[in-house]
Amino acid sequence: GEGALSDNTSATDETFTSVDLPVSGSGKPVQYTLTSADHTTAPSGWTLQGSADGTTWRTLDHRSGETFPWDRQTRAFTIAAPGSYAKYRLVLGGSATLAEVELLG
C-alpha cells in the first residue's frame, strides 16, 4: 500500500498515479522530496495539492519536464504556494514509480 512511500527507506517502492501524503510537524511544509526507484520509471511531471477537508483540493506546486538521472535519487522541490492544510496529495501526470515522498516543514 501507500506505506512504501513514507516508510523512510528508499529500498521499497510504489507505482501510483496519486498518493496521499502524511503531514508531520506544523502542517505547513515548504519543501518536499521525491526519491526515484528505477530512473526509467520515475515521473516527469506532477502536481502537489493541499486540502482542508479532503474534498476541495488546491494546487500548491506543479512540475513538468523533470528528470531523475539516477536510480534511488532524492530531489528536493520548493512548494510554490505553501499553506497549512490538513491533507496533502501528490498527483502524477501518469503512472510512475517512486521510492519515497516526504513533506518538509
Side-chain angles (χ1 to χ4, degrees):
E2 294 170 358
L5 293 169
S6 56
D7 58 5
N8 289 322
T9 172
S10 60
T12 56
D13 58 59
E14 181 101 16
T15 301
F16 65 98
T17 55
S18 176
V19 63
D20 293 327
L21 304 179
V23 181
S24 59
S26 66
K28 186 176 179 178
V30 292
Q31 277 194 314
Y32 60 101
T33 61
L34 304 183
T35 303
S36 62
D38 182 326
H39 73 279
T40 63
T41 59
S44 60
W46 57 83
T47 302
L48 179 71
Q49 297 179 322
S51 175
D53 56 12
T55 303
T56 305
W57 293 89
R58 172 176 225 151
T59 294
L60 308 180
D61 197 60
H62 177 73
R63 305 280 169 154
S64 60
E66 298 289 347
T67 59
F68 290 80
W70 304 288
D71 294 347
R72 309 284 175 203
Q73 179 183 8
T74 300
R75 294 189 57 203
F77 301 92
T78 299
I79 296 174
S84 294
Y85 297 94
K87 298 174 181 294
Y88 291 86
R89 72 180 178 190
L90 189 73
V91 181
L92 302 183
S95 182
T97 304
L98 286 169
E100 198 79 23
V101 180
E102 186 175 12
L103 291 170
L104 305 173

